[in-house]
């Protein structure tokens, strides 16, 4: 699998998301998906200290703990790039979210980093994200805290998820001014369909045109997209479009998506992934799959090439 880079950390062109591993995806299925991903050359695995607290019986530790057990059993930690996140866990447990998210204070970030590494069975993280915005903590403090983690050798690269473009730009400017390691990964909701004007996503917004434009001008920023396949809505009749995407523009785009997929002998999901990977800027997809067959379909996108005419039609 093609390798990309985040602050000099080599990562595979597809990232495996593990949001529901250990909750709705049981251990046997999760291990099978993880094994197949590595077999296919995948090296980049994404989790969080919140996955999945909202599932019945979930607390947020399940995904990291399952990954820790898998890593121990396979003995391949050094071959992989592990990413996790901090800042979004409800505090106290069960409190209204996101109003009572744990936030990004130095104390929380440091304590949760230690807890995540313990669950994952590692002495460092490759990528560590601020999961959602925390306007209660001064941005200068957040930048300083994450910079310290890199300087201390606990984290190799840092990122921001679900942050406005201006906050990303401001945080990176603060880091430059202070001469400390800055955020180089941006993880946002993104897909081929565009949300209707004014659509609300709460604390997990769809990527903005401003963010994409900013990434085009910053050569050291890597953009990653989550919810890229809309939980199966592109291909499954039993999965309706999320209401934020259910509007006339989507119907036109879905028609073109189906045309291009037929021309290429591919699935709409594969075309979406190829469209993201070959975009300007390129977007590294985080795959939310729950079976080996779903993963294999996604892997097929790596061999898919959209020509200029097809991309132009999709974009238009």
């Amino acid at each position: 699998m093609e390798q990309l880079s985040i602050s000099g950390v080599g990562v595979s062109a597809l990232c495996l998301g593990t949001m529901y591993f250990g909750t709705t995806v049981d251990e046997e299925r999760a291990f099978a998906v993880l094994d197949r991903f590595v077999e296919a050359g995948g090296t980049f695995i994404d989790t969080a200290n919140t996955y999945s607290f909202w599932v019945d019986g979930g607390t947020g530790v399940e995904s990291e703990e399952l990954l820790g057990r898998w890593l121990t059993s396979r003995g391949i930690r050094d071959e992989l790039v592990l990413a996790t996140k901090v800042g979004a866990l409800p505090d106290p447990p069960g409190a209204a979210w996101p109003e009572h998210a744990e936030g990004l204070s130095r104390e929380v970030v440091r304590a949760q980093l230690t807890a995540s590494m313990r669950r994952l069975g590692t002495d460092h993280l490759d990528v560590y994200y601020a999961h959602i915005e925390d306007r209660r903590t001064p941005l200068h403090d957040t930048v300083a805290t994450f910079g310290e983690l890199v300087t201390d050798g606990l984290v190799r690269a840092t990122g921001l998820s679900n942050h406005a473009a201006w906050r990303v730009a401001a945080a990176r400017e603060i880091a430059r001014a202070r001469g400390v390691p800055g955020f180089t990964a941006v993880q946002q909701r993104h897909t081929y369909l565009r949300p209707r004007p004014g659509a609300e996503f709460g604390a997990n917004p769809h990527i903005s045109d401003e963010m994409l434009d900013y990434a085009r001008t910053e050569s050291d920023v890597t953009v990653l997209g989550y919810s890229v396949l809309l939980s199966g809505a592109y291909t499954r009749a039993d999965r309706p479009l999320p209401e934020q995407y259910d509007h006339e523009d989507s119907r036109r785009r879905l028609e073109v998506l189906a045309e291009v997929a037929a021309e290429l002998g591919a699935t709409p999901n594969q075309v979406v992934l190829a469209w993201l990977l070959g975009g300007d800027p390129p977007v590294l997809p985080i795959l939310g799959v729950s079976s080996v067959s779903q993963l294999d379909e996604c892997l097929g996108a790596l061999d898919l090439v959209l020509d200029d005419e097809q991309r132009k039609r999709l974009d238009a």
Side-chain angles (χ1 to χ4, degrees):
M1 193 179 299
E2 181 183 358
Q3 293 288 299
L4 307 176
S5 176
I6 299 176
S7 287
V9 179
V11 298
S12 54
L14 296 175
C15 178
L16 181 62
T18 62
M19 177 181 289
Y20 290 109
F21 287 13
T23 50
T24 61
V25 180
D26 63 39
E27 189 151 317
E28 181 178 0
R29 280 194 296 152
F31 276 33
V33 171
L34 287 159
D35 288 341
R36 174 66 182 122
F37 183 67
V38 171
E39 177 191 346
T43 60
F44 197 8
I45 299 175
D46 181 88
T47 185
N49 71 334
T50 58
Y51 293 163
S52 295
F53 73 81
W54 56 91
V55 173
D56 187 28
T59 64
V61 303
E62 290 81 8
S63 176
E64 289 184 339
E65 287 186 341
L66 182 145
L67 280 174
R69 292 191 293 273
W70 176 76
L71 287 165
T72 297
S73 67
R74 302 311 191 252
I76 56 173
R77 167 64 184 100
D78 292 343
E79 301 172 26
L80 301 176
V81 177
L82 290 181
T84 192
K85 311 177 191 75
V86 63
L89 191 67
D91 182 25
W97 189 90
E99 298 92 327
H100 295 284
E102 63 189 343
L104 298 170
S105 69
R106 186 177 189 276
E107 293 74 21
V108 165
V109 171
R110 284 269 179 179
Q112 290 290 10
L113 173 66
T114 299
S116 289
M117 290 194 299
R118 183 181 67 249
R119 288 190 286 266
L120 291 165
T122 185
D123 61 359
H124 73 281
L125 290 175
D126 299 297
V127 185
Y128 200 36
Y129 291 97
H131 201 165
I132 61 174
E133 289 191 6
D134 174 17
R135 300 288 179 93
R136 299 166 298 180
T137 300
L139 191 55
H140 284 77
D141 293 352
T142 300
V143 170
T145 298
F146 278 80
E148 287 173 7
L149 300 180
V150 177
T151 302
D152 292 349
L154 296 171
V155 173
R156 297 174 68 193
T158 60
L160 296 168
S161 183
N162 303 305
H163 281 62
W166 73 265
R167 295 276 288 182
V168 174
R172 284 167 48 81
E173 285 301 318
I174 291 169
R176 288 190 186 108
R178 290 190 169 194
V180 300
F183 298 103
T184 54
V186 173
Q187 185 180 140
Q188 300 286 101
R189 183 189 301 272
H190 193 18
T191 187
Y192 172 60
L193 296 185
R194 299 177 296 195
R196 57 175 169 76
E200 282 293 328
F201 293 92
N204 306 98
H206 188 94
I207 199 165
S208 66
D209 289 339
E210 290 82 0
M211 185 75 81
L212 292 170
D213 187 50
Y214 177 74
R216 289 186 194 101
T217 68
E218 300 288 311
S219 60
D220 63 333
V221 170
T222 301
V223 180
L224 301 96
Y226 68 84
S227 294
V228 293
L229 300 179
L230 299 179
S231 300
Y234 284 111
T235 56
R236 291 177 52 174
D238 63 327
R239 296 291 177 91
L241 286 179
E243 62 90 13
Q244 297 97 329
Y245 299 95
D246 190 6
H247 61 126
E248 185 58 33
D249 181 69
S250 291
R251 284 179 275 281
R252 292 194 298 269
R253 291 173 79 84
L254 287 170
E255 289 174 1
V256 178
L257 180 65
E259 291 171 5
V260 172
E263 292 165 10
L264 294 170
T267 68
N269 284 339
Q270 291 169 338
V271 174
V272 170
L273 295 173
W275 178 82
L276 290 165
L277 284 164
D280 179 23
V283 175
L284 196 160
I286 299 170
L287 307 177
V289 299
S290 58
S291 69
V292 171
S293 62
Q294 290 175 358
L295 175 60
D296 282 340
E297 178 189 4
C298 294
L299 292 171
L302 295 171
D303 298 322
L304 204 62
V305 178
L306 302 175
D307 65 31
D308 291 343
E309 188 273 337
Q310 289 167 332
R311 181 168 291 279
K312 183 176 180 180
R313 282 160 53 203
L314 288 165
D315 289 345

